[in-house]
Each structure stands twice: as structure tokens, then as C-alpha cells.
């Protein structure tokens, strides 16, 4: 009986993850590069842009009084920024070192914590970019001596691996375009002869689901 209860608990937790951690990639209809990712965590839809920064957040039931940080002395780095909406508090990083790569950036939305990569010689391609949203770890493509066309682009969100077309002497139809977003794959026309006007255009998207999806705008 106890084992059966544990199975039910695990199933509930997995179901909650599907509901609370939906991830949607948005691809440019011109370049087919990944422009942004919308991550649903604990009822909030948080948008991560292609530069690895949070551009906005919202929630369907986010209502109430809006407050801002108004103390120029003690909240100097937060001054004028959004402090709360209704009962949801919003905070920003305020470290002693003013050169910190995370200073002034979003630190938390309610109980959702946000962290950033430090800026150093070892993390130059991701310094200052979002490192973690809630329990989701986020990583970026490092430099590559042979082909650095992916450097600094999103590489992983939680267990979702992200990849882009790299340099190919024979076929450039996928170069710098999104080709993999977790279970979602994107393919492009490589026909240079019969239907050459479609060369490089998006040919198919496969693997979209309620949990993980890609759309082209």
C-alpha cells in the first residue's frame, strides 16, 4: 500500500512539472534563429530573450496594487523599479561589488528565484546571462575554435537541449538556424535545383507537445 502511495505521489509531481514548467521556443520567421523562450513556472510566464536576459513576465491572475522601489538611498540600484503587484513581491540583485554582472537584474518573482552567470575569463560567452530560473538550470554554447557561430546562444534549459546549424562547406541551408529544441526538430529545404526558391526555408517542425513546443513568428 505504501509503495502504491509513493507511485501516486511521483505521478502527481511529474504531472505538476508538466503543468508548471511548460517551455515554448519562438523562432524568427526571417532568420529562423531562436528569438526568445517562454517558460511557465508556478503560474508565471517568464520570457527569456536571445541575449539570455528576462525581457518580461506575466500571469493570468496577476492583479492588485502596484508598488515601486522609492528609497533613493537604501534602494539606489532598485530605485524606480517594480516592487510588487498585488501580493507578489519582486526583487533585484544588489551586491556590494558594483561591477557584479547581476547587479540591478531581476532576482525573484514571488517565490521564483533567478540567478545569473558570473562574468569571468571562463564564462565570457555567458557572463551576466540568466543561469537559473526556479529549478531550471540554463546554459549557453561556449566558444569553438573551428566554428563559433553558436557561441553565447542558448544551449540548455533544464533537460531541454538546444542546437543550431553549423558551418557546412556543401550545404548552408541550416547555418545558424534552430534545428533542435528538446524533442522538437526543425528541418530546412536543401534543394538548390528543382525548387531552388525554397532553399533554406523551413520545411518541417516535428515533436511539438503541450509541454515543449516551437513556433515561428
Amino acid at each position: 500500500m505504501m509503495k502504491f502511495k509513493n507511485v501516486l505521489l511521483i505521478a502527481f509531481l511529474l504531472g505538476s512539472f508538466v503543468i508548471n514548467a511548460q517551455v515554448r521556443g519562438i523562432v524568427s520567421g526571417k532568420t529562423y534563429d531562436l528569438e526568445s523562450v517562454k517558460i511557465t513556472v508556478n503560474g508565471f510566464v517568464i520570457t527569456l530573450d536571445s541575449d539570455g536576459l528576462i525581457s518580461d513576465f506575466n500571469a493570468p491572475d496577476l492583479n492588485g496594487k502596484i508598488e515601486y522601489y522609492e528609497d533613493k538611498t537604501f534602494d539606489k540600484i532598485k530605485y524606480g523599479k517594480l516592487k510588487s503587484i498585488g501580493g507578489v513581491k519582486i526583487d533585484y540583485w544588489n551586491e556590494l561589488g558594483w561591477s557584479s554582472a547581476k547587479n540591478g537584474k531581476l532576482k525573484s518573482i514571488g517565490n521564483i528565484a533567478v540567478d545569473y552567470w558570473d562574468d569571468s575569463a571562463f564564462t565570457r560567452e555567458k557572463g551576466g546571462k540568466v543561469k537559473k530560473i526556479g529549478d531550471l538550470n540554463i546554459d549557453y554554447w561556449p566558444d569553438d575554435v573551428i566554428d563559433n557561430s553558436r557561441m553565447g546562444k542558448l544551449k540548455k534549459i533544464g533537460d531541454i537541449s538546444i542546437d543550431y546549424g553549423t558551418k557546412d562547406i556543401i550545404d548552408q541551408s541550416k547555418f545558424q538556424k534552430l534545428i533542435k529544441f528538446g524533442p522538437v526538430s526543425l528541418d530546412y529545404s536543401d534543394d538548390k535545383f528543382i525548387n531552388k526558391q525554397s532553399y533554406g526555408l523551413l520545411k518541417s517542425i516535428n515533436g511539438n507537445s503541450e509541454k515543449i513546443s516551437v513556433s515561428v513568428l
Side-chain angles (χ1 to χ4, degrees):
M1 187 67 176
M2 183 60 68
K3 288 184 178 179
F4 180 70
K5 286 183 178 179
N6 289 339
V7 170
L8 286 178
L9 177 60
I10 292 170
F12 171 78
L13 291 174
L14 289 174
S16 297
F17 178 81
V18 171
I19 294 171
N20 294 326
Q22 294 172 324
V23 182
R24 179 187 175 200
I26 300 172
V27 174
S28 166
K30 293 182 178 180
T31 64
Y32 299 116
D33 198 358
L34 186 62
E35 286 198 336
S36 62
V37 178
K38 292 188 177 294
I39 305 169
T40 302
V41 181
N42 296 347
F44 283 89
V45 180
I46 300 171
T47 302
L48 185 67
D49 67 21
S50 59
D51 293 323
L53 300 175
I54 292 174
S55 59
D56 66 65
F57 65 88
N58 63 79
D61 57 353
L62 194 59
N63 301 294
K65 182 180 178 182
I66 296 176
E67 294 182 318
Y68 299 86
Y69 286 93
E70 299 177 345
D71 194 322
K72 291 183 179 180
T73 304
F74 295 101
D75 292 325
K76 187 175 181 180
I77 204 165
K78 307 177 189 180
Y79 179 71
K81 293 184 177 181
L82 195 62
K83 184 177 183 179
S84 66
I85 302 177
V88 178
K89 294 183 179 179
I90 301 156
D91 200 5
Y92 306 84
W93 283 96
N94 185 9
E95 298 189 323
L96 294 176
W98 278 84
S99 61
S100 169
K102 62 179 76 174
N103 260 346
K105 293 176 181 174
L106 189 66
K107 182 178 183 180
S108 62
I109 307 166
N111 62 353
I112 304 171
V114 182
D115 201 2
Y116 301 81
W117 286 95
D118 292 327
D119 193 359
S120 71
F122 301 102
T123 60
R124 66 186 184 91
E125 76 281 355
K126 52 191 173 185
K129 297 183 178 184
V130 173
K131 181 180 182 180
K132 197 168 187 179
I133 299 177
D135 293 328
L136 290 175
N137 292 307
I138 299 171
D139 205 356
Y140 304 82
W141 281 95
D143 193 3
D144 188 315
V145 177
I146 299 174
D147 179 6
N148 66 356
S149 62
R150 297 177 296 187
M151 187 178 77
K153 290 186 176 184
L154 280 162
K155 182 182 181 182
K156 204 161 189 181
I157 300 175
D159 59 356
I160 299 172
S161 296
I162 304 168
D163 203 0
Y164 312 81
T166 53
K167 292 177 181 178
D168 188 317
I169 298 174
I170 299 173
D171 180 14
Q172 292 291 312
S173 63
K174 301 177 183 179
F175 183 54
Q176 292 188 315
K177 298 172 184 177
L178 183 71
I179 59 173
K180 176 181 172 62
F181 192 84
V184 184
S185 60
L186 295 86
D187 197 13
Y188 301 85
S189 175
D190 59 358
D191 186 352
K192 288 183 177 181
F193 305 102
I194 299 174
N195 194 19
K196 60 183 179 181
Q197 68 271 18
S198 67
Y199 180 80
L201 296 180
L202 183 64
K203 184 168 68 174
S204 65
I205 298 179
N206 291 292
N208 273 340
S209 66
E210 184 179 352
K211 179 182 175 184
I212 302 170
S213 65
V214 172
S215 61
V216 182
L217 294 177

